Amino acid sequence: MSKFNNKKIIPRYNVLVFLMLLTAILVVGKALYIMTAGRTYWMEVAAQQKKDNVPVTPVRGNILSCNGELMASSLPEFKIYLDFNAMKEAGNDTAFIDSLDIITKGLNKIFPERKASRFKKDLMVGFRQESRHWPIWQGRIDYNTFKEVQSLPVFHLSKYRSGFHWDEFNARRRPFGSLAQRTVGDMFGAKDTARCGLELSYDKILRGTNGIIHRRKVRNKYLNIVDTPPVDGADIITTIDVGMQDLAERALIKELKEINGKVGVAVVMEASTGDVKAIVNLDRGSDGVYREVKNHAVSDLLEPGSVFKTASLMTILDDEFVDTTYTIATGNGIWDMYGRQMRDHNWNRGGYGNLMLPWTLKYSSNIGVSRLIDKFYHKNPEDFVQGIYDLGLATDFKIPIVGYAPAKIRMPRKNSHGQYVNWSATALPWMSIGYETQIPPISVLAFYNAIANNGKMMRPRFVKQIVKGNEILLDNKPQVVKEQIAKEKTIAAIQRILQEVVSEGLGKNAGSEKFPVAGKTGTAQMSKGTLGYKSGETNYLLSFAGYFPADEPKYSCIVCIQKSGLPASGGGMCGPVFRDIAEGIMAQSLKLDVKDSRTPGSVLIPSAKKGNLLAADYVLNALGINVNGGWGGVYPFGEPIWGTVVSNRRSITLRQEKPSNSHLVPDVHGMGARDAVYIMEKRGLKTRILGRGMVLEQSIGAGTRIKKGMVCTLKLG
C-alpha cells in the first residue's frame, strides 16, 4: 500500500496548477495590455532609455561678401517644451504649481502678445495630462529669448528635474536683409533646406555632414553617446560687394518707381576678372513694393534689342567686309525688308538719310544696321551667326545658380536640297538688330565686359573661395572663356564708337561729367508668344550696357527694365541708373588724404556729432586735429564714453556727460545713427531710422520710462 494519500495530495496539486494557470493568464493579459492600450506610454519610455542612430545636424556654413562681411549665417533657434512627467518624478510638480503665477507673468513679459491667464490655462492642460512634450510657445525663438525663458522659476533647473527641454534648429539669417537675396539664396525655414541661389547650388558644401549619436540611461541619467561626430559646413566667399550692391539697388528702385516699371535688373562686373560685384533683380508686387522674386539676370531668355547691334557691327568689321568709313542709306526712316517694314525710331521725323557705319550705332538705326548685315550675309546667314558665336554671345557660362539659362541663338540649317528649313528672308535683318534671339542679361554683360577687357572674355564669377576655418578648400580663380573675341583693330574701333554713343549719340543720359563712359542703349518690344508683339498694351525691354571709365575700364554694367506702354527709352530710363551706379562706385573707390586739401592759411576743423567720444577722439587725432579733453586717440575700441563735442576755429573739446538712468529713454539728439541705435538698443528699445545725418527728432521723448516692445523712430537730417 502506497504511503501517499492521493485524496489529500491531488487537491493540493490542483490548487498549485490553478495558481500557475492564473499567473500565466495575468502575464498574457498584461502583455496584451502593454501591446495595445499601454503601447504609446512604453514607447515613450523606451525612446528615453535608448535611441539608436539619431542624426545630429551640423552647423551650416556662412556666405560672405568679397570683403568678408556676413551675407548669410546660421543662428540657433529653439522650440521649447515641458515634460510634466519628468517634473513629477523629480518631485518638482509642487514647486511648479506654487510658482505658476510668477512663471506665467514672466512668459507674458517675454511674449506680450499672449496674456498670462492664457499661458496659465495652457500649461495646466499639459500638467493634468502629464504630457512629456507640451509646447510652451508654438513658434521658434532666438537665443536671447530662449535664455530669458530658461531663467524663469523651475525652468532654470536641469531638464531632468524641471522637465524644461527644447529642440534646437540652425536658422538662416541675412544681416543685410534683401540685398542680393535671389543670388545669395533662401532657405525653407520649416525644413531647413535650401530653395534657391547659392544656398541651393552649394547646398552640399554649406550643409556639412550629419553626425550620429545614440542615447542611453546610465545610473538614472541620460547620456548622449557620439558614434560619428557631425562635420560643420564650409563657408563660401562670394564676389559680391555689399556697398556696390546697395548702391545699385537704390538707384534701380528709384527709377522703377518713377516710370512704374514691372521688372528691373542691374548687374555690375569687374572688367579684368569677371567678378560679379552687384546683381539686383526686382519685381513689382501687387502692393506696389519691389522685391527680389526671381533671378532675371541669369534666367530671362529675352530678345535683347539694340544692345545686340554692337555685336552685329563687330562681326562685319571683323570679317573686313567694310570699315568705319562705309556709308549706308537709311532713307526716310522706313525701309521695305522682304515684304516687312523696318522702321527707325525717328521715322515720323524723316529718318536719318545716309549714315556712316559708326553713326548707325550712335543713332541706333535699325535700318542702317540691318541693311549692312543683309547686304553682305543674306546669301550665307550662317556666316553671320557663326561670327556672333565667335564673339561669345552664345557661350554657356555654366553659372552656378539654379535657373540659369544659356543664350539661344539660332543657326541656319539647310535640308538635302540646299533649302533653309529654319530660316526666312526676314530672319537675318531682324536678328541683326536684336530680335530672333534669346539672351539673358548676364551673357550680354559678359560680351560688353570682354570689349572693356580689350577682347578677353571672362566667365562671370560669383564665388571666389570655399574655406573652412583658416583652410582654403577651393580657390576659384578667374577663368578666361575666350582669349580674344575679335581682332584687335575691331576691338579698338568698337571701343571708340561705344564711347561716342554716350558722348554724342543716344546714350548721353548714361554719361558722367567726372569720367568717360562707353556703352549702348536698347529698346525692344517684348513678344507675347503666340500673340506676337501688338496684342493689347505693348511691353518693352529697355536696357543700357557699357563700361566705365572708358579710357581705363574697371567695371562693366548692364541695366534692364521691363515696362508697359510709352514712353519707353533705354537711354532715357536705363541710362540714368547706369550713371548713378557708375558715379557711386567711382566715388567709393576714391582714396583722398585730408592733408591734401590744406593750404598755409586754411583752418580745417571738421564738425563732430555728440555720442561716443572715444570713437570721435580716435578719428580726430588720426586727422591731426587738436583735441581738448581727449585720450590722444589711443582707444579706438572699448566701452563707449558718452558726451558732447564743442568746436571752434582751431580746436575741438570733448565733454563727458554722466549717463542717464538705464531704465529711461536717452536723449540722442545730435548723435549719428550708429551711436543713437547702439545706446537705444542697449537699453532694450527697438529703433527705426528715417533719413541720413544726425538725429533731429526722436518719437519717444527723453526721460520716458522704458517698456518692453517700445519702438523709437529716429529722424535724421
Side-chain angles (χ1 to χ4, degrees):
M1 182 179 178
S2 174
K3 59 181 179 180
F4 295 103
N5 190 341
N6 290 335
K7 291 182 179 180
K8 292 182 178 181
I9 293 175
I10 292 302
R12 294 176 186 175
Y13 278 109
N14 289 339
V15 171
L16 184 61
V17 170
F18 175 77
L19 291 174
M20 293 177 65
L21 180 61
L22 182 61
T23 302
I25 293 172
L26 290 174
V27 169
V28 172
K30 184 66 174 179
L32 289 173
Y33 173 80
I34 291 172
M35 292 169 63
T36 55
R39 183 178 185 277
T40 303
Y41 171 80
W42 287 109
M43 288 296 288
E44 289 182 2
V45 172
Q48 289 191 354
Q49 296 290 331
K50 176 184 176 182
K51 286 186 179 179
D52 290 325
N53 299 331
V54 178
V56 181
T57 306
V59 177
R60 190 174 180 86
N62 300 315
I63 299 178
L64 302 102
S65 73
C66 63
N67 298 321
E69 297 168 291
L70 280 174
M71 300 192 74
S73 182
S74 291
L75 296 174
E77 284 191 345
F78 304 84
K79 294 193 76 172
I80 49 177
Y81 306 92
L82 275 178
D83 182 346
F84 291 104
N85 195 286
M87 182 192 296
K88 289 183 178 181
E89 287 179 357
N92 286 317
D93 51 333
T94 303
F96 171 77
I97 295 298
D98 293 341
S99 306
L100 188 57
D101 288 337
I102 299 174
I103 292 172
T104 53
K105 287 178 181 178
L107 289 172
N108 171 248
K109 287 183 179 180
I110 298 169
F111 307 103
E113 53 267 51
R114 182 181 292 183
K115 294 181 179 180
S117 58
R118 174 70 185 277
F119 274 115
K120 186 173 183 178
K121 181 180 178 181
D122 288 348
L123 291 177
M124 285 307 299
V125 171
F127 183 82
R128 285 191 289 268
Q129 292 179 4
E130 297 186 9
S131 173
R132 290 184 172 273
H133 202 60
W134 188 260
I136 300 172
W137 183 251
Q138 294 296 333
R140 294 187 185 184
I141 59 176
D142 59 31
Y143 179 77
N144 290 331
T145 306
F146 168 75
K147 297 305 289 184
E148 285 187 66
V149 175
Q150 196 179 32
S151 67
L152 294 173
V154 181
F155 294 0
H156 70 279
L157 302 173
S158 70
K159 65 173 68 176
Y160 308 113
R161 295 176 60 198
S162 67
F164 178 72
H165 61 286
W166 56 88
D167 291 334
E168 185 172 347
F169 303 88
N170 284 325
R172 209 62 170 163
R173 291 290 178 264
R174 291 190 303 272
F176 293 101
S178 62
L179 282 183
Q181 179 175 342
R182 294 301 296 185
T183 302
V184 172
D186 277 328
M187 302 284 291
F188 290 106
K191 299 179 181 179
D192 289 324
T193 55
R195 59 182 295 196
C196 64
L198 296 175
E199 291 276 21
L200 182 56
S201 302
Y202 289 85
D203 183 58
K204 187 175 180 180
I205 292 169
L206 290 164
R207 181 172 294 280
T209 305
N210 284 350
I212 299 176
I213 66 170
H214 68 269
R215 192 180 188 196
R216 292 188 182 278
K217 187 175 183 180
V218 179
R219 293 187 177 180
N220 210 33
K221 289 185 177 181
Y222 295 102
L223 300 178
N224 289 329
I225 300 173
V226 178
D227 297 320
T228 305
V231 179
D232 292 340
D235 300 338
I236 63 173
I237 300 175
T238 71
T239 60
I240 302 294
D241 183 291
V242 173
M244 294 184 189
Q245 181 73 29
D246 180 55
L247 180 68
E249 184 171 308
R250 285 189 284 109
L252 184 59
I253 287 180
K254 178 184 175 184
E255 185 68 21
L256 286 171
K257 289 180 177 178
E258 288 183 6
I259 67 173
N260 196 29
K262 291 182 176 179
V263 176
V265 170
V267 188
V268 179
M269 186 180 290
E270 192 172 60
S272 60
T273 63
D275 284 1
V276 177
K277 310 304 290 184
I279 177 168
V280 185
N281 300 275
L282 296 171
D283 287 80
R284 187 184 66 211
S286 57
D287 55 358
V289 177
Y290 289 94
R291 302 180 180 88
E292 293 226 353
V293 177
K294 178 184 177 184
N295 205 319
H296 297 277
V298 302
S299 64
D300 276 4
L301 290 177
L302 300 173
E303 294 170 315
S306 296
V307 292
F308 188 86
K309 292 174 182 174
T310 303
S312 297
L313 293 191
M314 285 182 68
T315 300
I316 200 169
L317 286 171
D318 218 45
D319 286 340
E320 299 184 353
F321 288 132
V322 297
D323 59 22
T324 55
T325 64
Y326 191 87
T327 301
I328 192 77
T330 66
N332 62 356
I334 303 177
W335 200 279
D336 181 79
M337 284 284 187
Y338 307 102
R340 288 181 63 187
Q341 286 189 337
M342 177 78 72
R343 296 173 185 264
D344 276 339
H345 67 91
N346 70 334
W347 66 271
N348 55 354
R349 297 193 299 274
Y352 289 116
N354 294 334
L355 288 176
M356 290 181 64
L357 183 143
W359 286 97
T360 63
L361 206 62
K362 295 177 191 178
Y363 288 153
S364 197
S365 170
N366 293 333
I367 297 172
V369 173
S370 62
R371 288 204 65 221
L372 274 168
I373 300 304
D374 186 67
K375 181 175 182 178
F376 292 96
Y377 294 100
H378 181 75
K379 292 183 179 180
N380 299 293
E382 58 270 22
D383 291 346
F384 171 76
V385 178
Q386 185 58 53
I388 297 297
Y389 280 26
D390 292 341
L391 291 174
L393 270 167
T395 301
D396 183 356
F397 293 108
K398 301 185 184 333
I399 290 173
I401 295 178
V402 175
Y404 162 69
K408 295 181 180 179
I409 301 177
R410 176 164 39 112
M411 176 64 78
R413 295 197 316 272
K414 292 180 179 179
N415 60 19
S416 58
H417 303 291
Q419 299 170 323
Y420 288 109
V421 295
N422 65 337
W423 205 254
S424 66
T426 59
L428 183 62
W430 262 264
M431 177 181 280
S432 69
I433 62 171
Y435 294 92
E436 303 275 345
T437 61
Q438 293 178 308
I439 308 176
I442 195 72
S443 294
V444 176
L445 178 59
F447 165 66
Y448 276 86
N449 191 77
I451 297 173
N453 201 24
N454 295 319
K456 182 182 291 187
M457 178 171 276
M458 308 300 296
R459 180 188 180 195
R461 185 169 68 150
F462 288 83
V463 175
K464 293 170 67 174
Q465 291 179 329
I466 299 174
V467 300
K468 193 164 188 179
N470 296 321
E471 181 185 1
I472 299 175
L473 302 182
L474 173 66
D475 194 3
N476 187 23
K477 301 288 187 183
Q479 296 179 25
V480 179
V481 177
K482 296 178 76 71
E483 282 289 347
Q484 201 68 28
I485 63 171
K487 297 171 183 174
E488 288 185 10
K489 65 178 182 179
T490 302
I491 296 294
I494 209 69
Q495 285 176 337
R496 183 176 64 255
I497 295 172
L498 288 176
Q499 189 168 344
E500 291 172 354
V501 168
V502 177
S503 61
E504 304 172 20
L506 298 181
K508 288 183 178 180
N509 286 323
S512 171
E513 296 179 355
K514 302 172 178 64
F515 49 85
V517 171
K520 179 68 184 77
T521 64
T523 304
Q525 291 186 27
M526 294 176 64
S527 172
K528 298 182 181 179
T530 56
L531 298 177
Y533 294 91
K534 296 183 179 180
S535 57
E537 188 176 33
T538 305
N539 290 326
Y540 293 91
L541 173 63
L542 317 175
S543 54
F544 186 92
Y547 51 89
F548 58 92
D551 53 353
E552 193 177 346
K554 292 183 179 179
Y555 301 100
S556 60
C557 177
I558 187 169
V559 178
C560 301
I561 293 176
Q562 297 176 31
K563 75 178 295 288
S564 297
L566 296 171
S569 167
M573 295 175 177
C574 293
V577 180
F578 183 99
R579 181 193 63 232
D580 290 347
I581 293 172
E583 289 185 345
I585 290 174
M586 293 303 292
Q588 289 179 354
S589 64
L590 289 175
K591 304 293 184 183
L592 301 177
D593 191 335
V594 69
K595 296 177 182 177
D596 295 339
S597 63
R598 290 187 175 184
T599 63
S602 67
V603 177
L604 187 62
I605 299 295
S607 61
K609 305 180 184 73
K610 64 181 287 190
N612 183 5
L613 299 183
L614 282 181
D617 177 67
Y618 175 73
V619 173
L620 291 169
N621 275 274
L623 294 174
I625 307 300
N626 186 21
V627 179
N628 297 321
W631 297 266
V634 297
Y635 300 111
F637 309 107
E639 189 68 23
I641 296 176
W642 305 101
T644 58
V645 181
V646 180
S647 59
N648 54 39
R649 290 177 54 84
R650 298 197 174 276
S651 67
I652 288 181
T653 302
L654 306 181
R655 293 179 179 173
Q656 288 184 238
E657 291 181 347
K658 184 179 179 181
S660 61
N661 190 319
S662 62
H663 298 292
L664 303 179
V665 176
D667 182 3
V668 296
H669 287 90
M671 291 187 183
R674 183 184 183 124
D675 285 347
V677 171
Y678 176 87
I679 194 171
M680 284 282 193
E681 295 195 347
K682 190 171 182 182
R683 297 191 182 188
L685 285 159
K686 294 183 179 179
T687 54
R688 286 174 44 204
I689 300 293
L690 300 177
R692 295 182 178 182
M694 66 173 64
V695 178
L696 300 179
E697 298 177 15
Q698 59 185 79
S699 62
I700 303 176
T704 305
R705 180 161 289 278
I706 296 172
K707 297 180 181 178
K708 188 169 184 64
M710 271 187 170
V711 178
C712 184
T713 300
L714 304 178
K715 185 176 180 181
L716 280 59

PDB file of all heavy atoms in Angstrom, residues 107-115 708-709:
ATOM      1  N   LEU A 107       6.395  84.767 -18.632  1.00  0.00           N
ATOM      2  CA  LEU A 107       6.177  84.419 -20.041  1.00  0.00           C
ATOM      3  C   LEU A 107       5.433  85.534 -20.768  1.00  0.00           C
ATOM      4  O   LEU A 107       5.702  85.831 -21.943  1.00  0.00           O
ATOM      5  CB  LEU A 107       5.397  83.106 -20.144  1.00  0.00           C
ATOM      6  CG  LEU A 107       6.156  81.835 -19.750  1.00  0.00           C
ATOM      7  CD1 LEU A 107       5.207  80.637 -19.701  1.00  0.00           C
ATOM      8  CD2 LEU A 107       7.296  81.558 -20.727  1.00  0.00           C
ATOM      9  N   ASN A 108       4.502  86.191 -20.084  1.00  0.00           N
ATOM     10  CA  ASN A 108       3.764  87.303 -20.679  1.00  0.00           C
ATOM     11  C   ASN A 108       4.687  88.480 -21.007  1.00  0.00           C
ATOM     12  O   ASN A 108       4.521  89.149 -22.032  1.00  0.00           O
ATOM     13  CB  ASN A 108       2.648  87.751 -19.738  1.00  0.00           C
ATOM     14  CG  ASN A 108       1.988  89.038 -20.179  1.00  0.00           C
ATOM     15  OD1 ASN A 108       2.112  90.071 -19.523  1.00  0.00           O
ATOM     16  ND2 ASN A 108       1.282  88.993 -21.302  1.00  0.00           N
ATOM     17  N   LYS A 109       5.670  88.735 -20.148  1.00  0.00           N
ATOM     18  CA  LYS A 109       6.631  89.809 -20.423  1.00  0.00           C
ATOM     19  C   LYS A 109       7.518  89.469 -21.618  1.00  0.00           C
ATOM     20  O   LYS A 109       7.871  90.329 -22.417  1.00  0.00           O
ATOM     21  CB  LYS A 109       7.495  90.061 -19.191  1.00  0.00           C
ATOM     22  CG  LYS A 109       6.775  90.774 -18.054  1.00  0.00           C
ATOM     23  CD  LYS A 109       7.724  91.052 -16.896  1.00  0.00           C
ATOM     24  CE  LYS A 109       7.003  91.786 -15.766  1.00  0.00           C
ATOM     25  NZ  LYS A 109       7.908  92.063 -14.617  1.00  0.00           N
ATOM     26  N   ILE A 110       7.862  88.187 -21.732  1.00  0.00           N
ATOM     27  CA  ILE A 110       8.708  87.757 -22.845  1.00  0.00           C
ATOM     28  C   ILE A 110       7.911  87.702 -24.142  1.00  0.00           C
ATOM     29  O   ILE A 110       8.405  88.080 -25.212  1.00  0.00           O
ATOM     30  CB  ILE A 110       9.337  86.387 -22.532  1.00  0.00           C
ATOM     31  CG1 ILE A 110      10.226  86.489 -21.286  1.00  0.00           C
ATOM     32  CG2 ILE A 110      10.142  85.866 -23.721  1.00  0.00           C
ATOM     33  CD1 ILE A 110      10.670  85.154 -20.738  1.00  0.00           C
ATOM     34  N   PHE A 111       6.661  87.221 -24.052  1.00  0.00           N
ATOM     35  CA  PHE A 111       5.768  87.131 -25.206  1.00  0.00           C
ATOM     36  C   PHE A 111       4.519  87.971 -24.938  1.00  0.00           C
ATOM     37  O   PHE A 111       3.464  87.420 -24.570  1.00  0.00           O
ATOM     38  CB  PHE A 111       5.380  85.679 -25.480  1.00  0.00           C
ATOM     39  CG  PHE A 111       6.541  84.731 -25.602  1.00  0.00           C
ATOM     40  CD1 PHE A 111       6.870  83.878 -24.554  1.00  0.00           C
ATOM     41  CD2 PHE A 111       7.314  84.700 -26.752  1.00  0.00           C
ATOM     42  CE1 PHE A 111       7.932  82.999 -24.660  1.00  0.00           C
ATOM     43  CE2 PHE A 111       8.390  83.824 -26.859  1.00  0.00           C
ATOM     44  CZ  PHE A 111       8.706  82.972 -25.816  1.00  0.00           C
ATOM     45  N   PRO A 112       4.590  89.297 -25.058  1.00  0.00           N
ATOM     46  CA  PRO A 112       3.468  90.158 -24.653  1.00  0.00           C
ATOM     47  C   PRO A 112       2.202  89.960 -25.470  1.00  0.00           C
ATOM     48  O   PRO A 112       1.119  90.370 -25.045  1.00  0.00           O
ATOM     49  CB  PRO A 112       4.032  91.573 -24.860  1.00  0.00           C
ATOM     50  CG  PRO A 112       5.190  91.417 -25.779  1.00  0.00           C
ATOM     51  CD  PRO A 112       5.751  90.064 -25.518  1.00  0.00           C
ATOM     52  N   GLU A 113       2.284  89.292 -26.626  1.00  0.00           N
ATOM     53  CA  GLU A 113       1.091  89.080 -27.435  1.00  0.00           C
ATOM     54  C   GLU A 113       0.143  88.035 -26.840  1.00  0.00           C
ATOM     55  O   GLU A 113      -0.990  87.887 -27.298  1.00  0.00           O
ATOM     56  CB  GLU A 113       1.460  88.689 -28.872  1.00  0.00           C
ATOM     57  CG  GLU A 113       2.414  87.508 -28.988  1.00  0.00           C
ATOM     58  CD  GLU A 113       3.866  87.934 -29.054  1.00  0.00           C
ATOM     59  OE1 GLU A 113       4.311  88.710 -28.196  1.00  0.00           O
ATOM     60  OE2 GLU A 113       4.559  87.474 -29.976  1.00  0.00           O
ATOM     61  N   ARG A 114       0.616  87.290 -25.835  1.00  0.00           N
ATOM     62  CA  ARG A 114      -0.265  86.319 -25.171  1.00  0.00           C
ATOM     63  C   ARG A 114      -0.380  86.681 -23.688  1.00  0.00           C
ATOM     64  O   ARG A 114       0.619  86.916 -23.024  1.00  0.00           O
ATOM     65  CB  ARG A 114       0.278  84.897 -25.318  1.00  0.00           C
ATOM     66  CG  ARG A 114      -0.628  83.840 -24.683  1.00  0.00           C
ATOM     67  CD  ARG A 114      -0.084  82.434 -24.800  1.00  0.00           C
ATOM     68  NE  ARG A 114      -0.089  81.963 -26.172  1.00  0.00           N
ATOM     69  CZ  ARG A 114       0.293  80.739 -26.536  1.00  0.00           C
ATOM     70  NH1 ARG A 114       0.720  79.889 -25.608  1.00  0.00           N
ATOM     71  NH2 ARG A 114       0.267  80.380 -27.805  1.00  0.00           N
ATOM     72  N   LYS A 115      -1.596  86.689 -23.193  1.00  0.00           N
ATOM     73  CA  LYS A 115      -1.841  87.057 -21.802  1.00  0.00           C
ATOM     74  C   LYS A 115      -1.342  85.974 -20.847  1.00  0.00           C
ATOM     75  O   LYS A 115      -1.278  84.788 -21.195  1.00  0.00           O
ATOM     76  CB  LYS A 115      -3.331  87.285 -21.571  1.00  0.00           C
ATOM     77  CG  LYS A 115      -3.890  88.486 -22.331  1.00  0.00           C
ATOM     78  CD  LYS A 115      -5.373  88.661 -22.042  1.00  0.00           C
ATOM     79  CE  LYS A 115      -5.939  89.875 -22.786  1.00  0.00           C
ATOM     80  NZ  LYS A 115      -7.384  90.049 -22.517  1.00  0.00           N
ATOM     81  N   LYS A 708       8.877  97.137 -22.351  1.00  0.00           N
ATOM     82  CA  LYS A 708       9.247  96.093 -23.307  1.00  0.00           C
ATOM     83  C   LYS A 708       8.437  96.255 -24.591  1.00  0.00           C
ATOM     84  O   LYS A 708       7.239  96.484 -24.566  1.00  0.00           O
ATOM     85  CB  LYS A 708       9.028  94.705 -22.713  1.00  0.00           C
ATOM     86  CG  LYS A 708       9.592  93.600 -23.602  1.00  0.00           C
ATOM     87  CD  LYS A 708       9.597  92.282 -22.882  1.00  0.00           C
ATOM     88  CE  LYS A 708      10.247  91.198 -23.732  1.00  0.00           C
ATOM     89  NZ  LYS A 708      11.661  91.457 -23.984  1.00  0.00           N
ATOM     90  N   GLY A 709       9.111  96.142 -25.726  1.00  0.00           N
ATOM     91  CA  GLY A 709       8.442  96.229 -27.020  1.00  0.00           C
ATOM     92  C   GLY A 709       8.385  97.628 -27.591  1.00  0.00           C
ATOM     93  O   GLY A 709       7.848  97.823 -28.684  1.00  0.00           O
TER      94      GLY A 709
END
